[in-house]
Amino acid sequence: MKYQVLLVDDERIILEGFRKLFDWEKYHCEISGIAMDGDEAVIMADDIGPDIVVIDINLPICSGLEAFQRMKEKNPSVHGIIVSGYDDFTYCQSALRMSLDDYILKPVDYEVFGKVIQKTIERIDQERAGEFFHSEEEDQGTVQNMLRWIQEHYMDDISLEILSRQFHLNESYISQLIKHKTGKNYSAYLAKIRFEKARTMLRMSDKSISEIAEKVGYSDYRAFTRAYKAYMGVLPSHDRGFK
C-alpha cells in the first residue's frame, strides 16, 4: 500500500521539481494529484482522498492554509506539509495551530524534505494503528486472519512486502500489529512457527533433516541448521527422534 500525495503550488517549476527530483518510491509514496490553486486543490482532495498534502502558502483564489483547513474539515486524517518562500514566524505559528505536520522553505532541500516525509509517514502509521486497536473486534479479526495466513504459508518466502500486498496494509503497520498481538516482531514470529514445525517433524517423522529444512522454507540445509541452533539452542540432530 502506498501513501497518496497531493502536490499544490502555483509555480510549475516547483511542482516539476517535487515530481522529478524527489524519490517518492523510497518512502512508499505516489503522487496522486497536482493542483495550482487553492480551490482546485480542495476539489481534487475530495476526489482522491490524499494521505499527505504538500502545499504552498501563497496560492491563487485561496491561501494554502485556508485550502488545507477546508480539506481537514472534510478529511480529519489528512496530513499537510506547508512549503513557503517566506521565512515568516507568523505563518509557521498558523501552520502549527492547524496541525500541519511541518513547514519547509523554498528552495526545497530534498534531503530535509525526505526527513519531513518520513516523520509524517510515522505519524500516519501510529494514527492508523491507534484507530485499529480502538476497534477490538475488527483488530482481532484482521490480526487473526493475518496470523492464520502466515501459519498456512510459513514454508513459502513470505516477506513483509508480500504480506503488505496480501492484506493491503503498509509494511510497518503490519509489523506493529503483529508485535502488538504476539509480542514478537515479524521475523521472530515467523521463525517461531518454522522451527516449532521443524521440531515436530524431527521428532515424529522419518524425513531427513534436509527434507524438513525445505518443508519449513529453507532451501539451504546449512542455513537451516545454523538458524535452528540459534533459535532452539540445539542442533536439529539433537531433536531427532525425541518424543
Side-chain angles (χ1 to χ4, degrees):
M1 184 184 75
K2 291 189 176 181
Y3 303 93
Q4 302 302 307
V5 178
L6 172 60
L7 296 178
V8 190
D9 201 295
D10 62 339
E11 296 181 69
R12 194 170 297 278
I13 191 171
I14 299 295
L15 294 172
E16 285 298 296
F18 273 121
R19 196 168 65 83
K20 294 180 177 179
L21 301 179
F22 184 70
D23 186 0
W24 297 100
E25 281 288 331
K26 177 180 177 181
Y27 299 91
H28 304 289
C29 293
E30 65 180 6
I31 298 170
S32 52
I34 291 176
M36 296 189 72
D37 66 62
D39 274 358
E40 182 187 12
V42 173
I43 293 168
M44 194 170 289
D46 286 345
D47 290 338
I48 65 179
D51 300 301
I52 302 170
V53 179
V54 180
I55 187 167
D56 187 18
I57 282 185
N58 293 307
L59 293 172
I61 305 180
C62 75
S63 73
L65 292 177
E66 182 185 343
F68 183 76
Q69 186 173 27
R70 287 161 62 188
M71 295 178 202
K72 193 82 172 172
E73 287 169 358
K74 294 184 178 181
N75 177 16
S77 66
V78 69
H79 284 250
I81 300 167
I82 281 288
V83 182
S84 177
Y86 301 95
D87 189 4
D88 188 319
F89 184 68
T90 303
Y91 276 144
C92 187
Q93 283 183 313
S94 299
L96 293 174
R97 280 198 298 270
M98 290 175 59
S99 299
L100 280 133
D101 288 72
D102 221 316
Y103 180 105
I104 64 173
L105 294 172
K106 298 177 182 177
V108 176
D109 180 326
Y110 291 106
E111 184 176 346
V112 172
F113 182 68
K115 293 176 181 177
V116 170
I117 285 288
Q118 183 59 47
K119 286 181 182 178
T120 302
I121 287 170
E122 288 170 3
R123 291 187 190 109
I124 292 171
D125 286 343
Q126 288 170 1
E127 289 173 6
R128 288 178 178 174
E131 290 169 5
F132 190 86
F133 295 137
H134 287 157
S135 175
E136 186 174 348
E137 185 175 341
E138 183 181 353
D139 291 354
Q140 294 301 321
T142 301
V143 177
Q144 290 296 346
N145 287 339
M146 194 180 299
L147 299 184
R148 189 179 302 115
W149 192 89
I150 294 170
Q151 295 241 13
E152 291 171 356
H153 296 83
Y154 68 88
M155 70 293 295
D156 300 325
D157 180 17
I158 48 173
S159 63
L160 274 173
E161 183 181 354
I162 290 171
L163 275 178
S164 176
R165 292 200 299 267
Q166 177 69 24
F167 289 93
H168 309 292
L169 295 171
N170 179 261
E171 292 175 31
S172 60
Y173 184 38
I174 289 174
S175 185
Q176 288 178 44
L177 295 179
I178 291 175
K179 181 68 179 288
H180 180 82
K181 178 66 177 178
T182 69
K184 297 179 181 294
N185 63 33
Y186 172 69
S187 58
Y189 178 72
L190 180 59
K192 175 179 182 292
I193 293 172
R194 285 177 165 173
F195 294 130
E196 286 180 353
K197 297 283 187 183
R199 173 170 277 179
T200 299
M201 284 188 272
L202 285 164
R203 292 177 172 181
M204 307 299 292
S205 80
D206 295 326
K207 291 181 174 65
S208 70
I209 293 176
S210 180
E211 288 178 299
I212 290 170
E214 288 188 11
K215 286 189 173 294
V216 297
Y218 282 84
S219 57
D220 185 330
Y221 164 82
R222 287 170 296 183
F224 167 74
T225 299
R226 287 194 299 269
Y228 190 95
K229 173 69 163 60
Y231 190 86
M232 290 297 196
V234 295
L235 291 169
S237 55
H238 180 273
D239 284 328
R240 174 95 276 177
F242 278 80
K243 296 184 180 180

